[in-house]
Amino acid sequence: MKERDFLWCLANGLLDREEKLEGLCPSCRTRALERRCPVCGRAEEDCEVNSSFDPARFEQLKEGSRD
């Protein structure tokens, strides 16, 4: 595929999504646009958070540093 083909696919995908959203009632559209947890599907603010997770340590390990 050429670059223009990728752009065409992306543009049409966005238009298809927009068209699907336009077919929803206002309350369903609002719900469809909410940010959701990719694992459980609940609204992000309702999703449980692992309190022992250390994002700084995660970044360190991701970079390859084991200090």
Side-chain angles (χ1 to χ4, degrees):
M1 286 177 59
K2 296 181 181 179
E3 286 184 23
R4 67 174 183 241
D5 296 326
F6 286 108
L7 181 60
W8 185 86
C9 287
L10 176 63
N12 280 294
L14 291 173
L15 290 172
D16 289 345
R17 182 173 191 271
E18 200 173 292
E19 187 178 321
K20 286 180 185 178
L21 287 173
E22 286 175 3
L24 299 174
C25 70
S27 65
C28 288
R29 186 178 311 124
T30 300
R31 187 157 183 239
L33 292 171
E34 288 177 350
R35 292 186 54 91
R36 301 231 164 239
C37 174
V39 177
C40 66
R42 288 186 281 183
E44 265 188 0
E45 58 271 1
D46 297 337
C47 197
E48 296 177 21
V49 177
N50 182 353
S51 60
S52 64
F53 180 72
D54 182 2
R57 180 74 176 139
F58 175 79
E59 289 299 321
Q60 250 185 352
L61 292 172
K62 189 170 91 173
E63 302 289 324
S65 173
R66 295 186 178 245
D67 297 336

